[in-house]
Amino acid sequence: MMNPVQTSIPQPDGSDRYVLIEPILEKDGEHGLRSTGVFKIYKDAFGDETHLFTEPTESDGAISDLPDWQNPDYLGKFLFENGNVRQFEGDVLSVAEQAYLAVFIETFQEPDI
């Protein structure tokens, strides 16, 4: 995943929790950008795509002055290693929601442009 992706997590009551998955990228020499294996999860107002990026986000540091732990929209982050979930950091998402998003990230295919 090279761009932020909007998705929803089905809830037991039939509703959905809307989230934005932001992949954290780093420079890979002359090859451009590569995934770090870190994916931050934020609350999302689904359907409002005005804030989505059209290019991969590249950063040498924090993009925002607001730390994740102070951001009310921050739900946590996944750490992947060799394509498998190593860890989830956060306490808002249930274990079932974490599992749903882990599978989503693992199986996500970039759309052909």
Side-chain angles (χ1 to χ4, degrees), residues 5 9 18 29 41 44 64-66 70 75 85 87 95:
V5 174
I9 306 168
Y18 301 109
I41 312 300
D44 187 34
S64 172
D65 292 334
L66 183 64
Q70 288 184 337
L75 300 174
V85 175
Q87 178 178 344
V95 172

Side-chain angles (χ1 to χ4, degrees), residues 74-101:
Y74 181 71
L75 300 174
K77 69 180 173 183
F78 284 97
L79 305 163
F80 279 76
E81 190 172 303
N82 300 321
N84 298 309
V85 175
R86 185 180 80 212
Q87 178 178 344
F88 178 78
E89 295 176 1
D91 56 4
V92 175
L93 298 177
S94 70
V95 172
E97 290 173 317
Q98 293 172 35
Y100 183 89
L101 286 178

